[in-house]
Amino acid sequence: MDKEAILALLEETREFPPSAEFTAQANLNGPEMVRRGNEDPDGFWADIANELQWFHKWNRVLEWNPPDAKWFVGGKINLSVNCVDRHLAGARRNKAAIIWEGEPGEERVLTYWDLHREVNKFANVMKALGIGKGDRVTLYMPMIPELPIAMLACARIGAPHSVVFGGFSAEALRERINDCAAKLLITADGGYRRGNIVPLKKACDEAMTGCPTIEKMVVVRRVGEAAGITMHAGRDLWWHDLMKDADDYCEPEPMDSEDPLYILYTSGSTGKPKGILHTSAGYLVGVYATTKYIFDIKEQDVFWCTADIGWVTGHSYVVYGPLATGASVLMYEGAPDAPGRDRFWEIIEKYGVTVFYTAPTAIRSFMRWGDEHPAKHDLSSLRLLGTVGEPINPEAWIWYHHHIGGGRCPIVDTWWQTETGMILITPLPGLVATKPGSATLPFPSIEADVVDETGKSVPPGGGGYLIIRKPWPAMLRTIYGDHNRYVSTYWMRFPGVYFTGDGAKRDKDGYFWLLGRVDDVMNVAGHRVSTMEVESALVEHPAVAEAAVIGRSDEIKGQAIAAFVILRDDYPGGRPSADELKRYVTQKIGAICRPDDVLIAADLPKTRSGKIMRRLLRDIAEKRVMGDTTTLADPAVVAALKEKYGENEG
Ligand code: ATP
Ligand code: MG
């Protein structure tokens, strides 16, 4: 399908109802459950919780003393039991739990029974190292099976884990270890990324110069000799040595529903990362339910969420959610363009992936790389697609729908946050007609609203702040070590309701359209313009692959619009000028949205999870000293942009 056809489609058909075939087989395909969720949320969640395995059931579903929620009060549960042991009784015992593909091409399959053995052994290893309930364990690992194994082992013994994404620097790792005073660090000698070795163990050694609480470091041998690492006697231990003689059964710790499960630091798109704390029962019930109903998981599905486990998406939808449903989870270690730009499509074809979940930033890269890469592969096993992480521009949605989904797969555009733990706004794929660019409707029982400055609900058609009025099971309980920051960040802007920090508008059907961060809404000469709308207009230009828009302060207008644009590699019509792109935006969405600056760039500053760091673009455009850059993927990008922005001036 060419660009013109896509554009035509964008203007004509904006609604995609689920097909009758999909609806007929969907896990949630009638309005009763939605009604029950909204009318009797406690009953709704209790029904779902009853599908899981408990040592002791709860006395009360919810205790709500804003802003402190307790779910399944009085219950006792263990997440590793629910993600692993629960599946051993029946036919799932020898089913693939984790299907792993290394970047260099190795394969490894762990059945649920295998996973049980590994998790239990590693739980015993940690106990022997003196780790017990409540001790924090930091994981700094590549995307290898030992990472979910270690997480589940932590859950088994009640030691909260803190996974730090393997792309972070030694300094970022040190900061996160010290913030939660972790006792144990688990890493690997290295990992593979685009054919290079990521020197994880070396970064750990560097971090260790300032981490007094770490007693031991466990190292997985992933790379071998080529990693060139040194083991420090008395501190560093090889994973395989410890596992050799470990017993393969470890009694699971009966955890209180509200006992901590993990700490995870946010991506830092808007400021210094926050240590989000999630607890046990509510989190599990939330991710289990959303996986089952949003990804429509069936016994025979192969589910692939491409997020790194270092992000919340990986925690909830690579590990806990899909394993709790007993799905087969695909896990891939490396980059989408290594060795070739068709790597993802090759993997989908090879393993018959049925449900695929990725991010808009990745989809835009695929578009930029050209349609021929997915076209080379048989993607007919796919039946459902998802996206997460930022608003998806309609053009990317349509491309995803046609080139990956073959026009037949529903797309679930899922809105949620590290803080929410689970998806909160999303289509139910068998029930809700989708509109490209809209996350559609709240999950049953979730009371989302759009409000104005004063907290008053904005009627359909209008925009404002996205808030959630009632607690939900997988909600964060605090910011680790800083409950005041928890209260002030999320619960003070509008007293007693959860403030997401995102802007949204609702259309006449009540559908939610996410507009990006609240501080991404510009005020241009008295008009409120969303950065997202200008970005969407820019990427509709056939030569544009990606665009990031920010408001920079301007003496006359209040804010001026600055756009950073990346062009497509394969566009035959030549490179448009900055002026042409400005005119294009004017024509698409009006003169008020015309960018004042357009900078054609080679790359954009992104977090390691692929989100554009608009606050750094603002720093560049306003020629300020850069804010916190520890979560930036590639510092060279910022330096290049700074230089180019200077050149472009005047
Ligand atoms: P920080 O809070 O440290 O600035 P972050 O908000 O980027 O970092 P995450 O919790 O990983 O960290 O991201 C959540 C945010 O991602 C949401 O608040 C929202 O802005 C954006 N987001 C996620 N999914 C969607 C979606 N489907 N549509 C629109 N925006 C989304
Ligand atoms: Mg955030």
Side-chain angles (χ1 to χ4, degrees):
M1 194 169 182
D2 68 14
K3 267 316 242 281
E4 263 53 56
I6 291 174
L7 285 179
L9 210 146
L10 269 177
E11 263 132 47
E12 286 163 24
T13 328
R14 312 277 298 205
E15 262 197 61
F16 296 77
S19 68
E21 297 97 286
F22 193 95
T23 300
Q25 61 80 61
N27 287 343
L28 203 164
N29 59 6
E32 304 77 30
M33 215 174 151
V34 177
R35 202 176 311 126
R36 174 146 164 86
N38 295 333
E39 284 168 10
D40 175 19
D42 288 9
F44 170 85
W45 288 112
D47 285 352
I48 293 168
N50 270 318
E51 293 175 22
L52 297 169
Q53 195 171 317
W54 299 76
F55 297 106
H56 182 274
K57 287 205 178 158
W58 58 95
N59 313 315
R60 261 185 92 179
V61 174
L62 170 64
E63 216 174 273
W64 177 224
N65 300 304
D68 299 308
K70 287 186 178 158
W71 282 86
F72 305 105
V73 184
K76 296 265 184 216
I77 198 164
N78 185 287
L79 272 78
S80 78
V81 168
N82 278 282
C83 292
V84 190
D85 306 40
R86 197 166 76 83
H87 308 305
L88 298 189
R92 282 184 192 149
R93 171 185 277 220
N94 287 320
K95 171 180 175 172
I98 296 175
I99 302 171
W100 176 80
E101 168 114 357
E103 191 184 84
E106 315 97 305
E107 297 166 29
R108 214 177 135 190
V109 178
L110 285 129
T111 64
Y112 273 98
W113 205 0
D114 294 329
L115 184 61
H116 185 263
R117 270 189 291 269
E118 298 300 307
V119 168
N120 277 270
K121 281 164 73 177
F122 197 67
N124 282 323
V125 163
M126 284 194 291
K127 274 187 158 174
L129 294 176
I131 302 300
K133 187 174 172 185
D135 291 332
R136 274 84 57 210
V137 178
T138 296
L139 280 59
Y140 182 67
M141 300 173 74
M143 283 287 283
I144 55 176
E146 285 79 1
L147 173 51
I149 289 167
M151 291 163 79
L152 291 163
C154 285
R156 197 163 189 90
I157 64 173
H161 55 71
S162 161
V163 180
V164 177
F165 173 55
F168 278 141
S169 65
E171 189 195 326
L173 172 63
R174 187 188 298 138
E175 203 181 296
R176 287 160 178 73
I177 288 173
N178 291 336
D179 187 75
C180 70
K183 224 168 136 179
L184 176 68
L185 176 60
I186 305 169
T187 188
D189 55 356
Y192 291 100
R193 186 87 190 165
R194 293 205 173 83
N196 300 317
I197 294 170
V198 185
L200 296 166
K201 168 68 165 76
K202 285 179 183 164
C204 288
D205 290 342
E206 202 185 320
M208 273 323 97
T209 57
C211 291
T213 56
I214 295 286
E215 292 168 7
K216 295 275 187 253
M217 196 196 303
V218 176
V219 186
V220 178
R221 182 178 280 156
R222 163 74 187 112
V223 169
E225 288 305 306
I229 65 155
T230 318
M231 297 290 276
H232 294 249
R235 185 194 72 190
D236 302 350
L237 303 155
W238 285 111
W239 173 288
H240 56 267
D241 285 341
L242 297 167
M243 289 288 269
K244 234 181 2 233
D245 305 314
D247 196 72
D248 65 6
Y249 184 74
C250 170
E251 200 62 47
E253 189 71 36
M255 301 295 282
D256 188 90
S257 289
E258 283 299 327
D259 276 337
L261 174 67
Y262 68 76
I263 299 159
L264 179 63
Y265 295 84
T266 56
S267 4
S269 309
T270 53
K272 196 175 143 54
K274 305 172 274 279
I276 303 302
L277 182 93
H278 283 292
T279 56
S280 300
Y283 176 79
L284 179 67
V285 173
V287 299
Y288 168 75
T290 46
T291 306
K292 179 170 169 183
Y293 294 115
I294 299 166
F295 297 114
D296 195 46
I297 294 299
K298 301 281 167 24
E299 204 54 60
Q300 62 280 8
D301 276 313
V302 178
F303 179 62
W304 185 15
C305 162
T306 67
D308 193 284
I309 291 176
W311 311 115
V312 74
T313 305
H315 281 59
S316 298
Y317 301 109
V318 177
V319 184
Y320 291 112
L323 293 177
T325 62
S328 293
V329 173
L330 193 119
M331 204 178 148
Y332 167 59
E333 177 186 32
D337 54 352
R341 286 178 162 182
D342 63 338
R343 185 50 186 258
F344 276 15
W345 323 126
E346 176 191 85
I347 290 175
I348 289 175
E349 180 174 10
K350 177 173 173 188
Y351 296 103
V353 171
T354 56
V355 183
F356 179 68
Y357 188 33
T358 195
T361 177
I363 297 167
R364 287 192 298 269
S365 294
F366 303 145
M367 288 173 71
R368 173 146 60 111
W369 294 342
D371 307 343
E372 67 274 21
H373 302 293
K376 272 198 299 230
H377 295 278
D378 177 4
L379 305 180
S380 60
S381 59
L382 289 172
R383 64 182 197 88
L384 177 62
L385 303 176
T387 89
V388 61
E390 54 180 318
I392 182 165
N393 45 294
E395 203 225 355
W397 195 104
I398 297 286
W399 186 90
Y400 195 33
H401 181 65
H402 284 279
H403 293 279
I404 308 304
R408 84 191 161 268
C409 303
I411 297 179
V412 289
D413 174 354
T414 62
W415 177 89
W416 60 298
Q417 309 175 300
T418 310
E419 294 89 339
T420 69
M422 61 187 255
I423 295 167
L424 294 190
I425 303 180
T426 176
L428 291 167
L431 210 56
V432 173
T434 51
K435 304 183 189 184
S438 170
T440 76
L441 300 166
F443 191 74
S445 91
I446 303 302
E447 264 194 49
D449 199 358
V450 176
V451 299
D452 65 15
E453 288 289 334
T454 66
K456 221 171 90 235
S457 191
V458 175
Y465 304 94
L466 177 66
I467 55 128
I468 315 289
R469 293 202 178 275
K470 290 223 188 103
W472 60 97
M475 167 180 126
L476 81 164
R477 300 302 194 262
T478 191
I479 292 178
Y480 190 80
D482 196 350
H483 201 66
N484 288 338
R485 192 177 175 202
Y486 165 75
V487 178
S488 64
T489 308
Y490 307 109
W491 301 96
M492 299 268 270
R493 180 71 183 77
F494 305 105
V497 301
Y498 176 80
F499 176 52
T500 63
D502 285 349
K505 68 177 181 197
R506 238 175 330 185
D507 67 17
K508 59 175 181 5
D509 299 323
Y511 278 38
F512 288 75
W513 297 76
L514 276 301
L515 302 174
R517 319 299 168 136
V518 171
D519 56 5
D520 287 347
V521 177
M522 302 172 286
N523 193 336
V524 184
H527 299 267
R528 288 174 72 72
V529 178
S530 128
T531 55
M532 168 68 190
E533 260 167 310
V534 182
E535 284 166 13
S536 261
L538 280 165
V539 295
E540 278 185 40
H541 188 289
V544 174
E546 185 151 18
V549 168
I550 52 117
R552 69 165 165 76
S553 54
D554 181 274
E555 271 178 31
I556 299 156
K557 298 206 254 184
Q559 278 187 311
I561 303 177
F564 297 76
V565 171
I566 301 181
L567 299 177
R568 278 183 85 133
D569 292 347
D570 62 348
Y571 181 62
R575 294 167 70 83
S577 68
D579 281 338
E580 183 183 337
L581 292 174
K582 290 180 191 176
R583 275 197 303 276
Y584 187 80
V585 174
T586 308
Q587 181 204 328
K588 279 266 149 198
I589 52 174
I592 187 67
C593 299
R594 181 181 195 273
D596 298 273
D597 320 332
V598 169
L599 186 84
I600 296 182
D603 232 326
L604 295 171
K606 289 189 180 159
T607 64
R608 307 219 169 216
S609 52
K611 289 175 203 247
I612 297 166
M613 293 176 85
R614 290 190 178 73
R615 64 181 168 86
L616 296 186
L617 292 175
R618 213 173 298 126
D619 291 341
I620 292 167
E622 294 180 350
K623 307 196 167 47
R624 256 200 312 262
V625 180
M626 294 283 130
D628 183 88
T629 54
T630 53
T631 60
L632 185 65
D634 179 5
V637 172
V638 167
L641 280 177
K642 261 171 133 171
E643 196 168 305
K644 203 149 181 215
Y645 209 93
E647 265 170 34
N648 255 44
E649 232 186 328

